Amino acid sequence: MSLARANSSPMGNCRFAIPKKGRLHEKVLEMLKGAGIHFHRESRLDVALVVDLPITLVFLPASDIAKYVGEGNVDIGITGLDKVQESGAEVDTIMELGFGKCRLCVQAPIASKIENVETLAGMRIVTSFPTLSKKFFDPLDEKFGVTTKINFVSGSVEVACSLGLADAVVDLVETGTTMKAAGLEVVGEVLATQSILIANPNAEHKDLVDMIRRRIEGYITATKYEMLMYNVTAELAEQACKITPGKKSPTITSLDDGGKAISALVHKNDMSTIMDELYELGATDILSMHLSNSRM
């Protein structure tokens, strides 16, 4: 089989675009595995067929995914909110995924001691996000009657100030390590962003798009919650349920001795504290169970 033929999607498959590399790539692969979307990707190929489902994964640069989804070349995709807004593509946001969180910020040299982002109106800005940067500075330009010069670079934005190419930059800030190493500091926030699941508004495979959403939503819930099970006397059941209201509501089963067996979803971060509270209340046989997946 030729490489060109292998690097294509079978007719009728739902095409699902994911980042081929970068900061989101590994997180997306981990999520797909947890959601039961299994595949094998051959080397040098940018497509992979999902096992037992009519879905083709298409590996694309994160910055291109919104455009491909918006134009209908693929049905569904995962990329950053920043990439979607920068592209201007018309897509439906299916859900936020909760990872890849960072901020798109205006950053200026610490030595310049800029305290107000308005100071930068009319100056030179270097960025990989020219559309969002222009949208941010346009109201300031109108206010002060100036024109901010926004120049595009595809990478290494943080060095632009030290090289004399810019008075400030607009770039993503996650931990702030790169920014601080470049001698920069945040003077304004353009956008808070994270990974999102998007779809073409006229996608042909709405049933598969909805199934992918359910699977991913179920996996995300399973990563956040655990099932807590315990026994308690009938008299204490109401108080116990106030401690463990669950994601929707607890499940209560009557026991032969007149007591109640209660189970409820509990956020992982709160599990130990809630188990202590139940023990102090008088609950017994308190057990937590790991969730590998779910459907709500």
Side-chain angles (χ1 to χ4, degrees), residues 98 142 148 154 262:
E142 185 176 350
T148 301
S154 60
I262 300 177

Side-chain angles (χ1 to χ4, degrees), residues 17 20 60-70 73-74 79 83 87 89:
K20 65 188 302 183
L60 296 170
S63 58
D64 293 341
I65 288 176
K67 180 180 178 181
Y68 277 89
V69 173
N73 304 109
V74 295
T79 189
K83 305 295 186 185
S87 72

Side-chain angles (χ1 to χ4, degrees), residues 75-93:
D75 301 286
I76 189 170
I78 294 174
T79 189
L81 173 63
D82 53 300
K83 305 295 186 185
V84 174
Q85 294 201 5
E86 177 65 24
S87 72
E90 293 185 9
V91 299
D92 289 338
T93 299

Side-chain angles (χ1 to χ4, degrees), residues 104-108 112-125 133 136-141 143-144 146 148 167-170 185-190:
L104 183 63
C105 295
V106 182
Q107 305 165 39
S112 65
K113 298 182 179 180
I114 293 175
E115 297 181 357
N116 190 329
V117 72
E118 291 186 348
T119 306
L120 293 167
M123 294 190 179
R124 301 169 302 157
I125 305 296
S133 298
F136 180 84
F137 278 100
D138 274 353
L140 299 180
D141 287 356
K143 178 179 179 179
F144 296 107
V146 296
T148 301
D167 300 299
V169 301
V170 174
E185 63 181 353
V186 172
V187 294
E189 182 175 309
V190 178

Side-chain angles (χ1 to χ4, degrees), residues 115-263:
E115 297 181 357
N116 190 329
V117 72
E118 291 186 348
T119 306
L120 293 167
M123 294 190 179
R124 301 169 302 157
I125 305 296
V126 164
T127 183
S128 297
F129 296 87
T131 300
L132 287 173
S133 298
K134 185 176 186 301
K135 184 177 179 181
F136 180 84
F137 278 100
D138 274 353
L140 299 180
D141 287 356
E142 185 176 350
K143 178 179 179 179
F144 296 107
V146 296
T147 301
T148 301
K149 302 170 186 65
I150 297 173
N151 295 313
F152 171 81
V153 296
S154 60
S156 299
V157 175
E158 69 279 356
V159 303
C161 293
S162 62
L163 294 177
L165 300 175
D167 300 299
V169 301
V170 174
D171 201 10
L172 293 173
V173 178
E174 190 168 5
T175 64
T177 302
T178 302
M179 176 184 66
K180 291 174 183 175
L184 302 173
E185 63 181 353
V186 172
V187 294
E189 182 175 309
V190 178
L191 175 72
T193 183
Q194 64 172 296
S195 300
I196 57 175
L197 181 68
I198 60 175
N200 182 278
N202 302 308
E204 296 179 3
H205 306 280
K206 292 190 180 297
D207 54 338
L208 287 171
V209 170
D210 193 47
M211 185 205 68
I212 291 169
R213 177 195 59 78
R214 289 196 307 271
R215 287 197 176 197
I216 291 176
E217 194 172 58
Y219 169 72
I220 291 174
T221 298
T223 63
K224 293 181 178 179
Y225 292 87
E226 289 184 349
M227 182 64 72
L228 181 62
M229 305 173 68
Y230 59 93
N231 295 336
V232 71
T233 63
E235 294 76 19
L236 295 175
E238 185 175 348
Q239 288 177 261
C241 287
K242 289 180 180 178
I243 298 173
T244 58
K247 196 170 186 294
K248 294 182 179 178
S249 64
T251 299
I252 305 173
T253 305
S254 296
L255 300 175
D256 292 341
D257 63 3
K260 303 293 182 181
I262 300 177
S263 59

